[in-house]
Amino acid sequence: QVDLQFLDEVISGGADPNCSDRYGQTVLHEVSRAWSVDVMRFFLDRGSDPLGSDQFGVTALHVASALDYEDMVQFLLDREVSADPSAQTFLDQQTPLHYAAKNDAVRSIKLLLRAGANIGCTDYKQRTPLQLAASMGDQRSEAAQVLLELGANAGVKDSDGQLCISALIGRMSHVAQEAIRQFHVKDRVTRQEYFYLNLLEPEEAGTPGDPSGRRASPSVRLQVVVLEGKLDLIMNPVFLKLIEIKWKLYGRLGAWLLLVLNFLLNVCWTTVAISMSACQDSPDRYTFPQDWWRVLLVVLALLLTLEEVFREIQDIVLSRRKLHLRRGWMERRFQDDLRCSHPMWPQERQYLLNQTRRIQRMRGNYSRVPALRNIFDWLVYSLLTASFCAHLADVLQPSILLHTLSLRLFSISIIFLWLRLMKHVRAFRLMGPFIVMLGNIVGDVMRFLFLYAEIFIPYACSFWIIFGGTPSVPSMQSVSGLLYSLYRITLVDEYEYAAMVTVDNIMAPLLCGTFLAASSILCVNLLIALLSDTFQRVHDNSQANAVMQQAAVILQVGDSMPRLHRFYDNQYISKHCSPLGEACDNLSMSSCYHHEFGHVTGQVRVGIRH
């Protein structure tokens, strides 16, 4: 309760209704937080300035808008009060609409826009209210959604080069779906559809060596979608068209080059390994001159392997460089905002500090790629290195032991080498879902192996205690033989049950029966259920998974094969896709109209009036 009579006596006694605290905030700033509209009217009637701001330029309308105090915002915007909806703060130059957007004050946003606030107004970093809401994360998604519905532009870029759509894609996918529609419009008159891909992939501002550090974020929109695995966004018509254009420009050529080079690598190492096994009875590992082709194959295989390793190292270095640039870019942004933060809004400062600490936990693109894929690559390179070193030692100093070791290593390496080829066929949409399915199956198999080990290890110990090392059960005389016998029991294969009964007719049926039930019936059927579930999940999103894999290869080609840039125009999208027009037969009543059609309609109406 507020004693208005007492306040009236105080003001009548000479108190200044516009007096302020150490931050320059007047009583109106406090009233606009939570007090009633009647209290605000009371102070305004006694001379308080509704346009007055504190030392940071924050007005009462800023405060009420940020807190989504609907009645107060409406009162301040009335003609009698006439608070300025375009008033800007001094440091960050933000309007009440900015304050409402970054605090998810949906009702205030609608009132401010109804009162004439500019939905495209910008702050000191040229950020619109929509950009500010998007940068604050998913907790501001409702404000971003409302701003989009009321006509906010998602294709604008701030002074740091950050696109509004980038923040939406990274932080609020469901809102980004709505925003991307602005880049895809249809004209029902000409039956054309237009893709504004230049707004989705604009030219980056600045250069890496720019001393000011004011350059665009290293992450591009397609990269964010792929790294975050956003299957819903990848199937948007705009992204599908962007992927199609990039695939035709350089993706297809790069994917085929990678596939052919790796296929050639596999063939070379396979031929080398087979030729070694064919000559294992010869005391000389190479006989010249007839074995010149074998030496040539080894050299070619080594060169191709070194080229693959170099590309991997190049990806790591590029990923770290991009991470360093992005961290510096984000730190500068947050530090700039921290300098503009208001001491009366500590929660905003705390949010910025938390985001600054979060930057240090960011990972590069290379480490964000599924870890199994990178580990598998380096496993193959390590096996090939070990195989070649063993073979080289055998050539320099022939011995049966080294030759046998090199053959064993090569036999294992060849298996993994050919499995690795699947990584390079995922770009082709017929194979994409299949590769994703295999990747998910690996996780299911690892979970199954953990459960199987929980059962296998204690049973192996029990079988060894009863039957291990006895000549009565030949298959279990050694540890390796016993382990293999248990594996055969899991597969319901033949095993020496009769021999085990002769050793212990009580424990034999007990151990064999329970192990068969636990390993074969329980574990194997559980694995089948896991694989079926994985297949269903991938199959339900088969097209999206195929497109996602193709997009991932396009990004890989763009980063690891920069020489391909010579074969296409880097400015193709900005020159030919602003917009890209295509014939469209599927036009629904809800389709958007092309802006030119809107202009024509307006001209016709003006002509009719005249």
Side-chain angles (χ1 to χ4, degrees):
Q1 295 293 329
V2 180
D3 190 345
L4 296 180
Q5 183 177 356
F6 173 74
L7 290 175
D8 186 46
E9 293 174 358
V10 171
I11 295 174
S12 300
D16 183 7
N18 289 308
C19 60
S20 59
D21 61 11
R22 57 176 176 165
Y23 298 120
Q25 293 205 335
T26 66
V27 67
L28 295 190
H29 290 86
E30 183 61 32
V31 171
S32 60
R33 289 179 181 272
W35 294 14
S36 70
V37 172
D38 292 333
V39 178
M40 176 64 75
R41 183 181 292 109
F42 171 84
F43 280 102
L44 291 176
D45 290 342
R46 283 153 183 79
S48 293
D49 183 10
L51 302 179
S53 62
D54 63 10
Q55 295 175 0
F56 296 84
V58 175
T59 66
L61 184 58
H62 281 89
V63 177
S65 299
L67 296 174
D68 208 16
Y69 191 173
E70 185 177 12
D71 292 338
M72 186 63 71
V73 173
Q74 182 65 64
F75 175 76
L76 291 173
L77 291 173
D78 282 344
R79 292 183 180 179
E80 296 179 0
V81 180
S82 298
D84 185 7
S86 61
Q88 290 184 316
T89 54
F90 299 147
L91 293 178
D92 49 14
Q93 299 174 14
Q94 292 183 356
T95 65
L97 188 58
H98 283 97
Y99 270 59
K102 68 182 181 180
N103 288 282
D104 210 34
V106 174
R107 292 172 297 181
S108 296
I109 290 173
K110 294 178 180 179
L111 289 173
L112 289 166
L113 291 175
R114 198 179 303 155
N118 180 12
I119 198 171
C121 58
T122 57
D123 65 2
Y124 79 116
K125 282 186 174 292
Q126 300 300 309
R127 292 175 298 192
T128 64
L130 177 60
Q131 285 177 287
L132 211 55
S135 64
M136 298 294 284
D138 194 51
Q139 294 179 348
R140 308 295 187 267
S141 61
E142 191 175 355
Q145 183 75 43
V146 169
L147 286 167
L148 281 171
E149 292 173 356
L150 295 176
N153 186 1
V156 295
K157 184 167 59 175
D158 63 21
S159 60
D160 289 330
Q162 171 81 350
L163 269 174
C164 178
I165 189 64
S166 299
L168 290 171
I169 290 173
R171 293 176 175 267
M172 44 184 79
S173 298
H174 59 289
V175 182
Q177 281 279 19
E178 182 72 24
I180 296 175
R181 292 181 184 177
Q182 296 183 4
F183 308 143
H184 179 213
V185 293
K186 297 179 181 179
D187 188 343
R188 298 181 63 203
V189 174
T190 60
R191 303 192 70 81
Q192 292 276 318
E193 60 180 340
Y194 298 87
F195 298 90
Y196 289 85
L197 303 183
N198 61 310
L199 299 178
L200 197 62
E201 290 285 316
E203 298 178 24
E204 299 290 351
T207 59
D210 185 2
S212 66
R214 302 291 182 180
R215 66 184 304 273
S217 166
S219 294
V220 295
R221 273 52 64 189
L222 185 59
Q223 188 177 65
V224 174
V225 171
V226 172
L227 291 177
E228 298 291 339
K230 298 181 182 294
L231 293 177
D232 54 339
L233 289 178
I234 202 72
M235 293 305 294
N236 187 282
V238 179
F239 274 111
L240 288 175
K241 183 57 63 175
L242 179 64
I243 292 169
E244 178 186 337
I245 294 297
K246 290 193 171 189
W247 179 253
K248 290 178 180 178
L249 282 176
Y250 62 89
R252 182 192 291 117
L253 176 60
W256 274 109
L257 280 175
L258 288 174
L259 180 59
V260 170
L261 287 174
N262 279 272
F263 181 78
L264 185 60
L265 171 70
N266 292 5
V267 170
C268 288
W269 279 119
T270 303
T271 308
V272 168
I274 292 175
S275 66
M276 286 171 53
S277 64
C279 302
Q280 58 183 333
D281 296 331
S282 174
D284 297 324
R285 304 307 180 214
Y286 292 92
T287 304
F288 292 98
Q290 56 265 35
D291 283 345
W292 64 269
W293 62 273
R294 292 179 59 201
V295 176
L296 181 63
L297 274 178
V298 171
V299 173
L300 181 59
L302 284 174
L303 290 176
L304 290 172
T305 305
L306 288 174
E307 192 268 341
E308 287 295 315
V309 173
F310 174 76
R311 188 180 295 117
E312 290 284 345
I313 295 174
Q314 187 181 39
D315 287 345
I316 295 174
V317 173
L318 182 62
S319 174
R320 290 181 177 177
R321 185 183 303 159
K322 284 185 174 182
L323 177 61
H324 175 72
L325 288 172
R326 183 162 179 78
R327 278 178 175 171
W329 175 80
M330 293 183 71
E331 284 176 354
R332 285 190 295 271
R333 283 173 65 92
F334 288 131
Q335 289 300 324
D336 289 344
D337 286 340
L338 275 171
R339 283 192 289 270
C340 298
S341 62
H342 198 293
M344 295 297 290
W345 299 85
Q347 63 272 24
E348 181 179 358
R349 182 176 182 83
Q350 187 60 44
Y351 169 80
L352 293 171
L353 290 173
N354 291 337
Q355 291 299 308
T356 303
R357 287 190 288 268
R358 175 177 165 270
I359 293 173
Q360 302 305 320
R361 299 193 298 269
M362 289 174 56
R363 296 183 299 164
N365 296 338
Y366 186 84
S367 59
R368 292 174 69 183
V369 172
L372 186 63
R373 189 183 304 162
N374 293 333
I375 293 173
F376 193 82
D377 284 340
W378 286 106
L379 174 63
V380 171
Y381 302 146
S382 301
L383 285 172
L384 289 176
T385 302
S387 303
F388 176 74
C389 290
H391 175 59
L392 184 61
D394 182 43
V395 171
L396 297 177
Q397 193 169 357
S399 71
I400 297 176
L401 178 62
L402 286 174
H403 192 67
T404 303
L405 176 62
S406 62
L407 288 177
R408 289 175 177 175
L409 287 172
F410 267 117
S411 65
I412 297 172
S413 302
I414 295 304
I415 295 173
F416 284 98
L417 189 62
W418 281 95
L419 289 176
R420 180 178 171 272
L421 191 64
M422 290 188 292
K423 168 186 174 182
H424 299 285
V425 299
R426 62 195 172 103
F428 305 96
R429 294 193 181 182
L430 289 176
M431 297 298 297
F434 178 68
I435 303 303
V436 174
M437 193 180 303
L438 287 179
N440 291 336
I441 284 174
V442 171
D444 293 336
V445 171
M446 295 302 293
R447 287 190 289 270
F448 161 76
L449 289 177
F450 174 78
L451 177 61
Y452 184 67
E454 285 285 318
I455 297 172
F456 188 87
I457 293 173
Y459 270 95
C461 296
S462 299
F463 271 95
W464 180 259
I465 292 170
I466 304 298
F467 310 110
T470 60
S472 302
V473 187
S475 63
M476 296 188 179
Q477 282 186 298
S478 63
V479 174
S480 59
L482 182 140
L483 296 178
Y484 185 67
S485 296
L486 292 185
Y487 175 68
R488 294 182 66 179
I489 293 176
T490 301
L491 299 179
V492 199
D493 197 0
E494 294 183 359
Y495 55 95
E496 297 175 322
Y497 177 72
M500 285 187 276
V501 170
T502 59
V503 175
D504 193 324
N505 60 355
I506 295 177
M507 294 303 296
L510 179 64
L511 289 177
C512 290
T514 54
F515 180 71
L516 186 64
S519 64
S520 181
I521 299 176
L522 177 63
C523 288
V524 173
N525 281 284
L526 181 61
L527 176 62
I528 293 172
L530 285 172
L531 297 182
S532 299
D533 179 65
T534 298
F535 171 80
Q536 189 62 47
R537 281 188 285 109
V538 176
H539 183 268
D540 290 343
N541 297 295
S542 58
Q543 188 176 3
N545 280 303
V547 175
M548 183 68 76
Q549 295 305 309
Q550 189 175 65
V553 172
I554 288 173
L555 292 173
Q556 179 190 359
V557 169
D559 288 340
S560 62
M561 305 181 75
R563 294 180 182 176
L564 284 180
H565 293 190
R566 302 175 184 176
F567 299 97
Y568 69 93
D569 184 4
N570 280 330
Q571 307 299 321
Y572 181 87
I573 291 180
S574 61
K575 291 178 180 177
H576 304 283
C577 303
S578 55
L580 173 67
E582 292 186 350
C584 178
D585 295 326
N586 183 21
L587 289 170
S588 61
M589 293 300 293
S590 60
S591 299
C592 298
Y593 293 86
H594 190 256
H595 63 89
E596 292 182 359
F597 177 65
H599 294 328
V600 172
T601 305
Q603 292 173 4
V604 170
R605 288 176 178 172
V606 172
I608 292 174
R609 289 172 186 167
H610 287 305

